[in-house]
Amino acid sequence: MSWAVTLDDVGRRYRAGGRWVLRGVDLEVRAGTLLRVEGGNGSGKSTLLRLLAGVEAPSAGRIRGLPGTRGYVPERFPAALPLTAAAYVTHLGRVRGLRGRAAARESTRWLERLGAGPYAGTRMRELSKGSSQKVAVAQALVGRPALLVLDEAWTGLDQSARAVLDEVVRERVAEGGAVVFVEHDPARLAAAPDAVVRIAAGGLAERAERGPRARAGTEPRPRTPRLRIEARGTPGAGAPAGLPRGARCRVTPEGVLSLTVPAAASDAALRTLLAAHPGWHVRSVREEDAAREEDAVQERGGPVGPAREEAGPG
Ligand SMILES: Nc1ncnc2c1ncn2[C@@H]1O[C@H](COP(=O)(O)OP(=O)(O)OP(=O)(O)O)[C@@H](O)[C@H]1O
């Protein structure tokens, strides 16, 4: 069955008036695809995954088409539950629509496949960290959810359970499910994703689509996109020192700065601007291609949309 989850201009912040963790995120996750989410620590990967898992709602924008059955391995699994591993996974199976016996059978099957069969009857709070992680994975897989969201799900698993999870991810995608994952090991499923998105400065700074040849690891990643950062500073101030490699910077005598940087270096560029003395007030961060298009429209006297993202204070 063909379906897709669509994020339209999605933003997330954790308190009203607080910092936007994610902003202006447009993303489509289609059935039968594997998507990897990358980004530095604290960039918002887990936040994006929680939105896709439906356990958090966006503060701005819309998420459409979330399938009814979703499996989610959170970054931190609440292991101190008073249930046995089997009872917990069976319970999740029922939540996903399996009837009693079928839920229990599937629970046993997943626990055994992951190597957790011997402690299916152990209370969750008595399990070791790695064993508890196997239960975290089993509870996400039971009932074969259409969308599987894995937040560092391999962490803590032993080698054979890791290999099983690799295998299961491939199976789910081949069966028409969608899998979205974050993983710190770059070698994990390295040639498998259909797309890789990178979060920087609160938005999806980079999106690399991969075709069937790339699945076999033979196609180079597309050109790295550049971001354009616009900021206002003190009239007469020159270009700021310490910009990352690959940055191109223009400053008008009035103190209006236009800086383009490879997307991967945008966090470093923003930090440089925000830490400079005298300071820079960052007005917008946009993909360079989109900024060019808006400039062209403006030159023709047409309408200009609002900047997609504000990255600085105020
Ligand atoms: N429940 C919350 N309440 C307040 N702030 C939060 C909450 N969850 C996340 N944040 C903040 O949002 C930002 C992004 O966090 P998130 O966990 O999504 O990043 P991440 O990319 O997954 O990081 P890591 O690689 O370290 O796991 C961080 O600054 C974090 O402090």
Side-chain angles (χ1 to χ4, degrees):
M1 199 177 68
S2 165
W3 53 267
V5 183
T6 310
L7 277 67
D8 291 325
D9 204 16
V10 161
R12 178 76 175 116
R13 57 182 172 185
Y14 285 96
R15 60 183 172 80
R19 181 176 75 86
W20 288 96
V21 173
L22 295 174
R23 195 151 194 206
V25 172
D26 295 320
L27 180 66
E28 189 180 61
V29 182
R30 291 185 297 275
T33 62
L34 177 62
L35 172 72
R36 178 180 191 122
V37 178
E38 296 179 346
N41 289 133
S43 58
K45 300 181 298 298
S46 295
T47 299
L48 179 62
L49 262 51
R50 285 195 292 271
L51 293 171
L52 284 167
V55 299
E56 275 184 18
S59 320
R62 277 207 316 163
I63 301 182
R64 290 177 290 138
L66 273 186
T69 54
R70 301 182 295 272
Y72 171 49
V73 180
E75 193 181 8
R76 289 185 201 91
F77 182 61
L81 297 169
L83 300 171
T84 65
Y88 181 65
V89 179
T90 303
H91 171 69
L92 265 290
R94 289 210 192 94
V95 168
R96 299 212 182 96
L98 296 175
R99 292 179 188 274
R101 281 219 186 127
R105 263 199 312 272
E106 258 217 45
S107 159
T108 306
R109 195 165 62 82
W110 283 117
L111 288 169
E112 282 178 356
R113 190 165 171 193
L114 287 157
Y119 31 86
T122 304
R123 281 183 199 281
M124 304 252 301
R125 61 174 166 234
E126 290 161 23
L127 291 175
S128 73
K129 197 161 159 256
S131 305
S132 156
Q133 186 63 12
K134 290 180 181 175
V135 180
V137 172
Q139 62 78 29
L141 297 174
V142 70
R144 294 191 181 277
L147 174 63
L148 186 58
V149 179
L150 305 175
D151 197 347
E152 297 181 38
W154 288 264
T155 305
L157 295 181
D158 55 35
Q159 213 162 357
S160 62
R162 284 181 186 192
V164 169
L165 183 52
D166 288 355
E167 201 176 272
V168 172
V169 165
R170 290 193 167 96
E171 278 171 19
R172 287 305 297 133
V173 172
E175 288 164 358
V179 183
V180 182
F181 75 102
V182 166
E183 163 66 24
H184 284 296
D185 177 0
R188 175 75 44 213
L189 295 167
D194 298 282
V196 179
V197 295
R198 186 170 179 82
I199 305 180
L204 295 190
E206 188 179 330
R207 182 180 175 107
E209 297 279 354
R210 294 176 176 202
R213 281 182 61 226
R215 277 171 176 267
T218 55
E219 196 166 87
R221 283 168 80 134
R223 157 182 94 86
T224 305
R226 294 177 69 86
L227 297 191
R228 188 195 290 181
I229 301 171
E230 288 170 340
R232 189 172 275 280
T234 314
L243 288 171
R245 271 180 62 178
R248 287 196 298 263
C249 182
R250 238 184 22 225
V251 186
T252 69
E254 295 75 36
V256 177
L257 169 141
S258 174
L259 171 68
T260 67
V261 285
S266 59
D267 279 355
L270 285 168
R271 275 196 302 274
T272 303
L273 292 179
L274 296 174
H277 295 289
W280 293 92
H281 179 82
V282 178
R283 309 292 304 187
S284 66
V285 181
R286 290 172 293 169
E287 283 181 11
E288 190 181 21
D289 291 348
R292 278 213 195 99
E293 274 170 33
E294 283 172 23
D295 289 349
V297 172
Q298 204 168 21
E299 275 165 24
R300 290 198 299 269
V304 181
R308 273 184 39 185
E309 182 181 347
E310 280 194 6

